[in-house]
Amino acid sequence: MTLRIYNTLSRGLVDFSPIEPGHVRMYVCGITVYDLCHIGHARSAVAFDVVQRWLKASGYQVTFVRNITDIEDKIIRRAVENGETIRQLTDRMIAEMYRDFDALGIERPRHDPRATDYVPQMLDIVGKLKDKGLAYQADNGDVNYAVRKFAGYGKLSGKSLDELQAGERVAVDGGKQDPLDFVLWKSAKPTEPEGAKWNSPYGLGRPGWHIECSAMSCAILGETFDIHGGGADLPFPHHENEIAQSEGAHGVPLAHVWMHNGFVNIDNEKMSKSLGNFFTIREVLEQFDAETIRFFIVRSHYRSPLNYSDVHLQDARAALRRLYTALDAVAPDEVAIDWSNPHAARFKAAMDEDFGTPEAVAVLFELAGEVNRTRNARDAGLLKSLGATLGLLQRDPKAFLQWRPPSVLGEVSFSTGESVSAEFTPTSDAAVQAQIDARAAAKAAKNFAEADRIRAELLAAGIVLKDGPGGTTWEAAR
């Protein structure tokens, strides 16, 4: 079966065939490194990790690029607030990003370019756009892209210029000729620190966000490549602007296939730092093991919304336990995947249909059931090998089954640096319920600090709370 991928640009499934036979070139927009990564970042990173793993399992050589945005307004503000240089902040946050991503089994890309290393390439694109009449320098020193001069603008988002303009406001500084125009090169402000400005033909300044990805992707993968990916928040304006810049400068399509992963939602609202409704990966790792978090993400289709809650993670943990229990009962043989095997064939058919991980995971459970019935070591080996294509089931089964949250071992730590020791001892169900009632009363009184303290104390004692529509239930941590 031919691999089919949903292409945001064509709004439908397309048969995938790389430009260069046997070699896939893929670029994915990465992290703006000014803070710890949250679960929304993990969702995108895991989704495209699975994509590149499956491409490799399908026999392709993959050149995978995931950029690092290390210069941007938020970074500058955070560095100034912290009293550190931009480089000190970004170096630290990149190390923290990889600490989290490595824990989740996210393979490092072949290239992870930092935007600040590609400023000359950005200026080269700006120069080409200016020469072609697609860019202009405004009175305030900024160099802007003239959107209405690019005939294809809006083709990725599917919106006309009039629709896009309806949601825009005229720039306050008056530097733009049209409110739809966007900045390619920002003129430096006297208050900006060192490390935030470069010399250029347009004066001292720094790149706009959109030009960074155009420069990095084209410099490493060429002016046209196979797959461009990112989150569902990026088609407009970021990816639309990338297309305008890259195709305006080079005259060829930027990417053949555009892929976008769905949001992570909390209470049906997108999780994001700007909304303040986010959980960092580090915080979630305090309660759940890394493979459970990965499995929670993988078992949902990458394009679908992912609803985050402790209950869903606990369910993911229980489901993953069933797979590891099969591998614990029957030591797996080391086997190469025989794609003619009925289980393997169904797994492949699922993954070849736009990376259909929910159906592929269902095959893993079918195979685990077969292992439990037959005690066949080759079936167990196939289960482990198929799991590997999703980045799952590679741990020692006993190590997974015996894992306990760090909190159950005596202390719960928070991102604020506070900790709660296991001072509460659950002597009876009634004692636990009394604590739950006290937490409910604290929440009703809007004393959320006390409610959090009680929850953390219970967790430290090995009691996991589940908040649901019918109230709060509990269970002992496994």
Side-chain angles (χ1 to χ4, degrees):
M1 179 178 175
T2 301
L3 172 62
R4 301 206 304 165
I5 303 176
Y6 185 87
N7 187 356
T8 307
L9 185 63
S10 63
R11 292 163 188 78
L13 291 167
V14 296
D15 290 346
F16 178 71
S17 179
I19 298 165
E20 177 188 339
H23 180 201
V24 178
R25 289 172 291 155
M26 180 169 75
Y27 181 92
V28 174
C29 290
I31 308 298
T32 301
V33 285
Y34 69 98
D35 205 345
L36 293 177
C37 294
H38 58 59
I39 291 296
H41 297 137
R43 205 281 165 93
S44 181
V46 169
F48 287 102
D49 181 59
V50 169
V51 168
Q52 65 92 21
R53 283 174 182 265
W54 184 247
L55 290 170
K56 290 177 181 177
S58 301
Y60 292 112
Q61 175 193 348
V62 180
T63 300
F64 178 29
V65 181
R66 188 184 64 227
N67 78 290
I68 296 170
T69 297
D70 62 346
I71 185 66
E72 200 258 354
D73 290 346
K74 297 185 188 74
I75 293 172
I76 296 170
R77 284 197 298 270
R78 183 61 56 85
V80 172
E81 290 168 3
N82 292 352
E84 60 186 328
T85 66
I86 290 170
R87 187 72 184 203
Q88 286 170 335
L89 171 65
T90 56
D91 282 352
R92 184 161 53 82
M93 288 298 106
I94 290 169
E96 297 293 353
M97 176 191 74
Y98 273 123
R99 177 181 164 188
D100 290 339
F101 283 10
D102 289 350
L104 295 176
I106 298 165
E107 294 181 343
R108 298 201 179 192
R110 183 177 297 185
H111 302 280
D112 55 354
R114 297 174 65 133
T116 53
D117 291 334
Y118 286 78
V119 173
Q121 290 87 343
M122 297 173 202
L123 288 169
D124 180 64
I125 294 175
V126 173
K128 288 178 179 176
L129 294 172
K130 202 163 181 292
D131 289 345
K132 292 183 176 184
L134 292 171
Y136 60 91
Q137 187 161 18
D139 293 341
N140 64 2
D142 291 352
V143 180
N144 296 321
Y145 191 100
V147 165
R148 291 187 184 275
K149 293 185 178 181
F150 180 70
Y153 197 84
K155 63 184 178 182
L156 184 65
S157 58
K159 297 180 180 180
S160 69
L161 290 177
D162 289 338
E163 288 175 312
L164 293 171
Q165 186 168 9
E168 292 286 338
R169 294 179 297 173
V170 175
V172 174
D173 60 20
K176 296 181 181 179
Q177 295 175 357
D178 188 291
L180 284 178
D181 295 349
F182 60 90
V183 67
L184 300 168
W185 185 258
K186 293 186 176 184
S187 179
K189 298 177 177 63
T191 56
E192 290 177 335
E194 290 301 318
K197 41 199 160 188
W198 287 260
N199 288 316
S200 82
Y202 319 106
L204 204 60
R206 60 186 170 88
W209 175 39
H210 310 297
I211 196 70
E212 295 178 357
C213 284
S214 285
M216 287 182 280
S217 62
C218 292
I220 298 171
L221 297 176
E223 295 172 1
T224 300
F225 49 90
D226 298 295
I227 298 172
H228 194 314
D233 55 335
L234 296 182
F236 181 83
H238 184 51
H239 288 165
E240 200 76 75
N241 291 351
E242 273 192 71
I243 289 172
Q245 293 163 160
S246 302
E247 297 185 6
H250 304 131
V252 293
L254 176 58
H256 283 199
V257 175
W258 289 82
M259 297 178 64
H260 295 94
N261 65 272
F263 293 131
V264 176
N265 294 331
I266 297 180
D267 295 331
N268 296 315
E269 188 173 41
K270 175 197 167 190
M271 178 190 292
S272 73
K273 288 181 178 176
S274 60
L275 294 173
N277 65 339
F278 67 94
F279 294 93
T280 66
I281 297 170
R282 200 70 50 82
E283 288 171 326
V284 181
L285 285 171
E286 290 170 357
Q287 296 188 52
F288 297 94
D289 64 283
E291 191 168 357
T292 290
I293 299 170
R294 183 182 180 94
F295 181 73
F296 163 68
I297 295 170
V298 167
R299 70 176 181 174
S300 293
H301 191 269
Y302 78 92
R303 285 194 288 117
S304 66
L306 183 64
N307 292 311
Y308 174 90
S309 73
D310 283 359
V311 172
H312 289 142
L313 278 163
Q314 288 157 0
D315 180 67
R317 170 77 183 172
L320 195 53
R321 281 179 64 89
R322 293 200 293 274
L323 298 178
Y324 267 113
T325 297
L327 294 176
D328 185 48
V330 181
D333 286 345
E334 288 191 18
V335 298
I337 299 173
D338 176 6
W339 294 111
S340 66
N341 174 284
H343 288 102
R346 287 198 298 276
F347 185 96
K348 186 177 189 304
M351 292 299 290
D352 278 347
E353 187 71 359
D354 196 29
F355 308 98
T357 55
E359 295 81 6
V361 167
V363 173
L364 297 183
F365 282 102
E366 291 175 15
L367 191 51
E370 191 77 12
V371 171
N372 289 330
R373 284 191 298 273
T374 66
R375 293 295 193 262
N376 186 306
R378 288 192 64 80
D379 285 345
L382 179 60
L383 173 61
K384 183 174 181 179
S385 295
L386 290 174
T389 67
L390 303 177
L392 300 170
L393 304 180
Q394 302 309 294
R395 294 181 63 185
D396 173 70
K398 283 186 171 55
F400 176 85
L401 295 171
Q402 294 170 2
W403 183 89
R404 295 292 182 272
S407 55
V408 173
L409 303 180
E411 187 174 271
V412 181
S413 299
F414 297 95
S415 58
T416 58
E418 299 174 289
S419 62
V420 176
S421 297
E423 297 176 358
F424 170 73
T425 302
T427 55
S428 67
D429 288 1
V432 174
Q433 188 59 50
Q435 290 289 87
I436 292 173
D437 292 343
R439 174 173 173 263
K443 290 173 70 176
K446 299 190 182 301
N447 187 352
F448 298 114
E450 174 64 8
D452 288 345
R453 186 198 67 77
I454 294 171
R455 182 189 185 97
E457 190 174 65
L458 286 167
L459 184 59
I463 303 298
V464 177
L465 300 186
K466 299 180 180 179
D467 292 323
T472 300
T473 58
W474 65 275
E475 66 178 26
R478 296 183 181 88

